[in-house]
Amino acid sequence: MAKLYSNWLYILSFSLYFYFFTCLVMSTKKNITTDEFALLSFKSSITLDPYHVLSNWSISSNSSTFSSCNWVGVTCDEHHGRVNALNLSNMALQGTISPQLGNLSFLLVLDLQGNGFHGELPRELLHLKRLKWLDLSYNDFVGDIPLRIGDLSKLQYLDLGYNNIVGVIPQSISNFSMLEYLNWKSNFIEGTIPHVIGKLERLRILDVRNNKLSGIIPSTIFNMSSLQEIRLSNNSLSGEIPKGIGDLPQLITLNLQYNLLTGNILMLNNSSLQILDLGFNNLSGILPSNVCQGLPNLRLLYLYVNDFSGKMPNVWRYCKELVDLELSFNNFDKGPMPADIGNLTNLQSLYLTSTNLEGEIPVSLFNISSLIEINLDGNHLNGTLPGEMCLQLPQLEKFTLFGNRLEGTIPRSIGNCTLLQILTLQDNFFSGLIPMEIGNLNQLQFLQLGNNSLSGYVPSNVFNISRLENLHLELNSLSGMLPSNMGLGLPNLQQLHMYGNRFVGNIPNSISNASNLVIIDLSSNEFSGVIPNSFGNLRDLESLVIGGNNLTIDESLEFNFLTSLTIGVFVVHELN
C-alpha cells in the first residue's frame, strides 16, 4: 500500500511539473510572438527603407526557432529569448514610431539615431521600464518631451539631440538616478532648467545647448559631483553663474556660450576643470586673478564676446596646460599683451581679437613652437615683427594682425612657417618689399597684405601658389607688370584685389586660366592696352572692376566680349 501511494505521488509530481513546464513554454512562446508582432508593427510604419534593411523582417512558418532574433538590428536575450536590443542607427529609414514598440518589455537598448523618423514620440515608449539606452538623435521628431519621461528610471544614456522637440524639461527627470549621459541639444526646448536636475547624481554629460532655455542656471546643477561636461550654449540663460561652480571635482567641460548671462564670473577653484567655455554671453566684471591658479589643469578657456573689463591679468604662467585661449571681443582696459602668455608652452590657439591691446607683441610669443593659430586683429599693437619670427613656429597655420599699427618690413623668415594657410597683415603700416619667401608658402589659401605701404614688384612665385583662394594686395605702392602667365598657377583663386597701386602694362589674357575667379578688382592703377576678351571665359565672375586705368576696348571684339561675359557687376570707368 505504501509503495502504491509512493508511485501515485511520483506520477502526480511529474504531471504537475509537465503542466507547469508546458504553461511556461506556452507563455514564453506567447511573449516572443508579442515581440515579433511589435517589430512587424514598427516595420509597417516605415515609409522608406532605401537600403532594404528590413527585408528579412518576416515570420518563417518553417523555422523551429524564433525568427525575430535573426532579423537585422535585433538582438535577443540568451536566457529568455526575448528582444532586448533594437539598433537601426544611420539606416536612412523614414516613417513614424509605432506605439506597439512599447510592448518590447525586455528591451534594454533602443537606438534609432541618424534616420528620418518624424511625428511625436509615442507615450507607449514609457512602458519600456527596463530600458538603459535610448538614442533618437538626428531625426525629425516633433512635440513635447513626455512629462513622465522619468518613468524610464533605469536609463543610463538618453540622447534626443538634433530634432524639432519643443516644450519644457519635465520635473520627472529627477527620477533618472542611473543616468550618466543627457543630450537634448539643437531642439526648441524652452522654459527653465529645473532645480531637480541636481538629483541626477551619476550624470557625467549634460548637453542642452542650442535651445530656447531661459532663466538662471540652478545652483543644484553643481551638486552633481560626477559631472565632467556642462554644455548650455546658445540659449537665453540669465543671472550669475552659481557660486558652487568651484565645487565640481570632476568637471571637464563647461560650455555656456551664446546666452544672455549677466554678472561677474566668481572666483574659481577647481583642480580638475579642463574646459571652461563661457563665450557669447553678456558676462561682465573683471577677469578673476585666480583664473589659472585655481584651475591648474585648464586646457581650453573661452571667454570671447562678453563685456569683461579691467586689466587683462598677468596670470597665464600658471595655466601650464592651456591649449586654447580665446578672449576676443571684450572691453579690457587698454594695455600691453601680458608678457607671461609666452610661458604657455602648450598653447595652440591664441585669439585676442578686439581686446584693446596696445604696445609691442612680446617676443616670447614667437617662441611657442606648438602654436597653430594666432589672431590679434582689431587692436592697437605697434612696433615691428621680429626678424626671426617664424624660426620657432613650425606648426603655424593662421597668423592674422588685421587692423593694427604695426610697421617695418615683413620678415623674410615668414618663409619658415611652411604650413601657413592664412596670412593677414592687412590695414597696418608695413613697408618695403614683399618677401620672395612668401611665394614658397605653398599651403596658403588667404594672403592679405592690403592697405599698407608696401612697394616694389610682387614676387612672381606668389602667382604660383596653387592653393591660393584670396589675394589682397590693394592700396599699397606696388608697381611693375603682371606676369604673362599669371592665371596658370592660380587654379583655385576666387578673389583678386590689386586696386590702388602702380601696376603698368597689359592685363594678361592668361588671367582667364584662373577659372574660379568671382571678384576681380584692378582699378586705380596704370594698366594700358586692350581689355582682355578672355574675361568672358570666367563663368563664375560676379564683379569686374577695372576703372581708373588707361584701358581700351577692341571694337572688333567688343560684341563677343560683352555677350560671353556672365557677371552681375561690370565696372569700367574712364576708358580711353
Side-chain angles (χ1 to χ4, degrees):
M1 183 67 179
K3 183 177 181 180
L4 180 62
Y5 179 74
S6 176
N7 289 338
W8 182 82
L9 287 177
Y10 175 78
I11 294 171
L12 180 62
S13 299
F14 181 80
S15 298
L16 289 172
Y17 175 79
F18 180 79
Y19 172 76
F20 284 118
F21 178 77
T22 302
C23 290
L24 179 62
V25 170
M26 292 178 64
S27 175
T28 303
K29 173 70 174 179
K30 179 181 178 181
N31 287 334
I32 294 174
T33 302
T34 300
D35 287 356
E36 289 185 338
F37 282 129
L39 292 172
L40 291 174
S41 178
F42 170 78
K43 178 183 178 181
S44 68
S45 298
I46 302 297
T47 58
L48 180 64
D49 180 7
Y51 302 124
H52 307 290
V53 175
L54 308 182
S55 59
N56 77 327
W57 278 35
S58 60
I59 298 177
S60 175
S61 58
N62 299 323
S63 176
S64 59
T65 60
F66 302 112
S67 58
S68 60
C69 296
N70 299 315
W71 293 353
V72 172
V74 177
T75 304
C76 291
D77 175 72
E78 294 182 359
H79 181 65
H80 299 98
R82 301 291 304 278
V83 175
N84 66 0
L86 177 60
N87 187 342
L88 295 171
S89 61
N90 300 305
M91 296 295 186
L93 299 171
Q94 292 185 20
T96 58
I97 302 296
S98 168
Q100 281 72 28
L101 208 60
N103 293 330
L104 298 176
S105 56
F106 274 69
L107 203 63
L108 301 177
V109 175
L110 177 58
D111 191 344
L112 303 178
Q113 64 110 356
N115 287 286
F117 288 106
H118 56 273
E120 296 190 8
L121 301 176
R123 297 310 189 255
E124 287 78 4
L125 292 181
L126 302 181
H127 298 161
L128 303 175
K129 304 299 185 182
R130 291 183 170 90
L131 205 60
K132 294 183 177 181
W133 183 291
L134 177 60
D135 191 344
L136 303 178
S137 60
Y138 293 94
N139 281 285
D140 295 309
F141 291 113
V142 297
D144 297 349
I145 298 172
L147 291 178
R148 296 180 56 190
I149 194 170
D151 289 354
L152 303 176
S153 58
K154 295 187 183 298
L155 275 179
Q156 299 174 15
Y157 185 101
L158 175 57
D159 193 343
L160 303 178
Y162 291 100
N163 281 286
N164 297 300
I165 295 171
V166 297
V168 301
I169 300 177
Q171 294 284 334
S172 65
I173 65 169
S174 61
N175 295 331
F176 287 146
S177 59
M178 308 293 291
L179 198 64
E180 298 181 8
Y181 182 96
L182 175 60
N183 186 342
W184 289 345
K185 66 182 175 185
S186 299
N187 282 284
F188 299 95
I189 302 169
E190 55 188 9
T192 60
I193 301 174
H195 281 71
V196 295
I197 199 168
K199 295 184 178 181
L200 310 186
E201 296 180 352
R202 297 193 180 186
L203 197 65
R204 295 184 297 105
I205 310 294
L206 172 61
D207 193 343
V208 291
R209 55 187 153 165
N210 304 331
N211 279 284
K212 295 184 176 182
L213 295 168
S214 58
I216 64 171
I217 303 172
S219 58
T220 56
I221 207 170
F222 301 110
N223 295 336
M224 297 178 283
S225 60
S226 59
L227 269 174
Q228 297 177 357
E229 298 185 13
I230 301 177
R231 298 185 181 271
L232 308 179
S233 59
N234 197 15
N235 282 283
S236 297
L237 299 167
S238 60
E240 295 186 350
I241 300 172
K243 295 181 180 180
I245 187 174
D247 300 326
L248 279 171
Q250 301 299 324
L251 189 61
I252 293 177
T253 303
L254 175 60
N255 180 330
L256 306 176
Q257 62 179 353
Y258 290 98
N259 284 295
L260 298 174
L261 290 169
T262 60
N264 298 336
I265 287 188
L266 301 171
M267 304 296 274
L268 305 176
N269 184 11
N270 189 309
S271 60
S272 298
L273 189 65
Q274 295 185 25
I275 299 176
L276 178 61
D277 186 348
L278 308 178
F280 277 95
N281 285 285
N282 288 326
L283 294 167
S284 60
I286 298 174
L287 197 62
S289 60
N290 71 334
V291 68
C292 283
Q293 291 99 317
L295 305 172
N297 293 308
L298 197 65
R299 297 181 63 250
L300 275 71
L301 178 60
Y302 298 153
L303 301 177
Y304 52 89
V305 192
N306 278 287
D307 194 25
F308 291 114
S309 58
K311 184 179 179 181
M312 191 180 295
N314 282 284
V315 296
W316 308 109
R317 61 188 178 278
Y318 299 109
C319 285
K320 296 181 179 179
E321 303 300 322
L322 204 61
V323 172
D324 197 339
L325 176 60
E326 301 195 13
L327 305 178
S328 300
F329 300 104
N330 278 286
N331 290 314
F332 295 114
D333 293 345
K334 282 188 177 181
M337 184 188 305
D340 61 351
I341 284 182
N343 294 328
L344 301 177
T345 56
N346 293 308
L347 197 64
Q348 296 180 11
S349 295
L350 176 63
Y351 279 76
L352 300 178
T353 308
S354 298
T355 51
N356 282 324
L357 293 174
E358 62 181 7
E360 297 187 359
I361 302 173
V363 175
S364 59
L365 180 66
F366 300 103
N367 293 325
I368 304 176
S369 60
S370 56
L371 273 169
I372 298 175
E373 298 178 307
I374 301 175
N375 188 324
L376 304 176
D377 293 345
N379 286 290
H380 313 282
L381 297 167
N382 54 36
T384 62
L385 295 178
E388 308 301 320
M389 63 164 285
C390 268
L391 296 182
Q392 302 296 325
L393 299 173
Q395 307 298 320
L396 196 64
E397 297 178 2
K398 180 178 181 180
F399 185 47
T400 69
L401 294 171
F402 177 90
N404 281 281
R405 300 171 182 174
L406 292 156
E407 55 189 11
T409 60
I410 300 173
R412 297 183 61 180
S413 68
I414 195 77
N416 292 95
C417 291
T418 56
L419 298 182
L420 266 177
Q421 299 175 19
I422 298 175
L423 176 59
T424 300
L425 306 180
Q426 197 146 324
D427 289 352
N428 280 282
F429 298 100
F430 289 109
S431 58
L433 304 177
I434 297 176
M436 183 180 299
E437 288 77 6
I438 284 183
N440 298 327
L441 302 176
N442 55 22
Q443 303 297 313
L444 267 183
Q445 299 174 22
F446 289 80
L447 177 57
Q448 298 174 313
L449 306 179
N451 198 16
N452 281 285
S453 299
L454 300 170
S455 59
Y457 295 171
V458 179
S460 59
N461 56 359
V462 168
F463 298 105
N464 290 320
I465 304 175
S466 61
R467 293 177 181 264
L468 205 59
E469 297 177 9
N470 283 51
L471 178 58
H472 287 255
L473 301 174
E474 71 274 11
L475 298 173
N476 282 286
S477 298
L478 299 169
S479 58
M481 299 177 63
L482 298 181
S484 59
N485 62 344
M486 71 167 288
L488 294 174
L490 299 170
N492 293 299
L493 193 65
Q494 298 176 23
Q495 294 192 28
L496 176 62
H497 299 267
M498 304 182 73
Y499 62 88
N501 282 286
R502 300 174 183 172
F503 293 112
V504 298
N506 295 329
I507 298 175
N509 273 292
S510 64
I511 196 170
S512 63
N513 287 291
S515 58
N516 288 309
L517 272 167
V518 176
I519 297 174
I520 299 176
D521 192 340
L522 304 177
S523 61
S524 300
N525 279 284
E526 299 174 17
F527 290 114
S528 59
V530 178
I531 298 174
N533 198 51
S534 63
F535 278 137
N537 298 326
L538 297 172
R539 300 303 176 185
D540 296 324
L541 197 61
E542 296 177 359
S543 178
L544 173 62
V545 186
I546 53 177
N549 286 287
N550 300 307
L551 298 167
T552 61
I553 294 177
D554 188 333
E555 294 182 1
S556 64
L557 297 175
E558 181 177 1
F559 178 78
N560 292 334
F561 169 61
L562 293 176
T563 56
S564 61
L565 194 60
T566 56
I567 59 177
V569 179
F570 176 55
V571 182
V572 182
H573 294 304
E574 303 173 9
L575 290 175
N576 294 326

